[in-house]
Amino acid sequence: MHIILVSAECAPVAKAGGLGDFVQGLARELTHCGETVEIMLPYYDVLRTTELHDLHEICADLRVPFNQHHLTCRVFNATLTGVNCVFFDPQSPQGFFQRGRIYGETDDAERFAFFARAVLEFILNSKRQPDILHCNDWHTGLIPVLLYEIYQALGMNRTRVCYSLHNLGYQGQVSAELLQQVGLEPRRLLQADRLCDPHDGRQANLLKGGIVYSNFVNTVSPRYAWEIQHTEQGMGLQPLFKTHAHKFGGILNGIDDAIWNPDCDPLVPQPFNINTLPHKALSRQALRTQLGLQTDSKPIIAIVSRLDHQKGVALMAHGIRTALANNSQVVLLGTALDPVIAAQFAQLKQETLSNPDCHLELGYNEQLAHLIYAGADMILIPSLYEPCGLTQMIAMKYGVVPVVRRVGGLADTVFDANYSEQPFELRNGYVFDELSAAGLDSALLRAIGLWHAYPEYFRQLRVNGMAYDFSWRQPAQRYLDIYRQLATTV
Ligand code: ADP
């Protein structure tokens, strides 16, 4: 099968969070399975081109219909760990992808709408006949709409679309003019059963468009799939999921075990696995040295996260204080796009600057993230909602015990040491339900208590987590089953 993954992110060349890991990991596993896979991405100025091989231009002047005219787009080709990648570089006066970052621009909707149209125009012009277009999140929600409204009639009639939802917190609400800009008819599409936004009827909702027009829709964990159909986590789209329930499912993400593996990770000071777990001590020491923490008999509690409302930032701040007051050390690595949240964490960093048990690193740092997973003892994830969450799975692979709120993919992957119904060998962390300081403390204090009082039992929890198979092997098979089914439907 010929599968094209279209996304705003792909690790490690353009990653802001888990979406980047998803695209890279799934593409690589599908390639291992013998499928023909391509990844299509914007050509950001922040693209880490050193990770690419044989980057070269394949088209100097793709003419993309846009805004009643044509906008010229350069197209590049390269390989990323064996996978063919195509990059789109619009020659727009506004410099659509020349902004020094992936997201967060006021014209994000226009930037990604252009990208969607450019992808389809390129596929048509290059005479590609993909079996599957696998689109992701609101940025690519227009692709199935454009495919069925415009490109099918131009000959692209064998391609089917699988659409993955990684976060309903971002739906891409846009004005009707934007639809016109990409060549769609706003009057036809701004209907309740098409793109009309359930929150504001004058606007179009690109995520909704993707859901309505795709042949199959999934989200990234079974629990989140249930939550968005049946609770307010659906963020206004619950009725839509009911209507489209026949083509909707939940598939838990994997993690790429060629990258996230403490036994062969070049960023881990001394490799370790289940059988050589004591070697983790060297990583713990290296982490303390690098971040200026004192050496002491205390667990290191980590947070590696976007600092966003969704991730439970107020509870994170509380958790940091609880940990420091209870014989523990804290390491946080996080970035905040929201200036209010950024200021709160800058203040917390200031307060804890002279504390030898605490280091807050405010920024994005892939290398430090690896060392934190390798050196930490616990990871704290108090999310309000969590479509899948990768950090708990990565952490477990590195012998780190997760302390999480029971939502979305966290509920599907973390099983409480004391209260889970799983057999003991499948219990791997600590879980709380209530979205409150008391709720968080009920889990975090049990974890810290166990580390101090029963180290052997704590070690067993680490081992239980490390033994889980979180690889892409099973999820990729599930996607392949879906693709095959779609490819045979007319
Ligand atoms: P989300 O996609 O919602 O941000 P996930 O848990 O699915 O959250 O994925 C987060 C990914 O981003 C993980 O690979 C994590 O290690 C990485 N990450 C998050 N914040 C940072 C940061 N500040 N520096 C480096 N890596 C980060």
Side-chain angles (χ1 to χ4, degrees), residues 9 15-21 166-167 253 260 304-307 310-311 333-335 361-370 373 381 386-392 394:
E9 291 184 40
K15 169 173 162 178
L19 173 59
D21 292 305
H166 301 263
N167 194 335
N253 285 342
W260 300 112
V304 179
S305 181
R306 288 184 295 114
L307 300 175
Q310 171 207 340
K311 299 290 182 180
L333 172 61
T335 35
E361 185 73 25
L362 303 180
Y364 188 90
N365 186 334
E366 193 76 32
Q367 297 190 335
L368 180 57
H370 282 252
Y373 292 122
I381 314 174
E386 193 59 77
C388 176
L390 296 180
T391 55
Q392 80 282 13
I394 298 170

Side-chain angles (χ1 to χ4, degrees), residues 181-241:
Q181 272 180 288
V182 291
L184 293 166
E185 285 177 40
R187 270 212 333 199
R188 205 174 112 69
L189 296 182
L190 269 188
Q191 305 290 333
D193 60 349
R194 292 180 191 239
L195 272 72
C196 186
D197 181 37
H199 313 274
D200 176 353
R202 290 161 304 174
Q203 293 207 302
N205 181 314
L206 301 188
L207 192 86
K208 180 175 170 186
I211 294 166
V212 171
Y213 277 80
S214 292
N215 304 98
F216 189 81
V217 181
N218 81 293
T219 185
V220 287
S221 69
R223 170 79 174 220
Y224 190 60
W226 183 89
E227 287 171 352
I228 64 178
Q229 290 177 86
H230 301 288
T231 75
E232 75 285 357
Q233 298 299 359
M235 302 197 184
L237 300 182
Q238 297 91 316
L240 184 72
F241 289 120

Side-chain angles (χ1 to χ4, degrees), residues 23-208:
V23 173
Q24 181 194 32
L26 178 59
R28 191 161 20 191
E29 188 62 33
L30 291 171
T31 307
H32 282 169
C33 295
E35 308 300 337
T36 304
V37 182
E38 293 188 283
I39 298 171
M40 297 198 174
L41 288 168
Y43 194 110
Y44 302 106
D45 55 355
V46 288
L47 206 64
R48 290 174 58 189
T49 49
T50 48
E51 306 280 347
L52 296 169
H53 297 282
D54 193 23
L55 178 64
H56 61 280
E57 188 180 79
I58 50 171
C59 174
D61 54 0
L62 178 72
R63 279 164 54 80
V64 181
F66 195 65
N67 235 349
Q68 322 290 343
H69 298 284
H70 285 89
L71 185 56
T72 303
C73 184
R74 297 172 73 193
V75 185
F76 293 85
N77 195 196
T79 54
L80 174 64
T81 52
V83 181
N84 194 45
C85 298
V86 180
F87 299 97
F88 295 85
D89 181 17
Q91 305 302 294
S92 51
Q94 312 93 313
F96 276 156
F97 299 119
Q98 312 292 314
R99 306 291 176 81
R101 59 180 179 175
I102 296 175
Y103 305 121
E105 300 293 299
T106 48
D107 60 349
D108 273 359
E110 199 179 343
R111 298 165 72 219
F112 291 106
F114 174 81
F115 172 59
R117 181 91 208 220
V119 164
L120 285 165
E121 197 62 24
F122 174 75
I123 292 174
L124 184 74
N125 284 355
S126 63
K127 304 204 167 27
R128 279 167 167 75
Q129 291 274 350
D131 299 285
I132 300 294
L133 280 175
H134 188 150
C135 299
N136 297 280
D137 275 353
W138 73 266
H139 324 102
T140 53
L142 274 178
I143 288 185
V145 183
L146 288 163
L147 176 69
Y148 284 108
E149 291 288 327
I150 297 175
Y151 285 87
Q152 195 175 43
L154 300 176
M156 283 179 62
N157 42 21
R158 62 174 276 190
T159 301
R160 298 287 173 267
V161 184
C162 175
Y163 188 44
S164 293
L165 311 178
H166 301 263
N167 194 335
L168 287 201
Y170 304 88
Q171 299 186 6
Q173 282 112 337
V174 302
S175 68
E177 290 84 72
L178 189 93
L179 300 179
Q180 216 154 17
Q181 272 180 288
V182 291
L184 293 166
E185 285 177 40
R187 270 212 333 199
R188 205 174 112 69
L189 296 182
L190 269 188
Q191 305 290 333
D193 60 349
R194 292 180 191 239
L195 272 72
C196 186
D197 181 37
H199 313 274
D200 176 353
R202 290 161 304 174
Q203 293 207 302
N205 181 314
L206 301 188
L207 192 86
K208 180 175 170 186

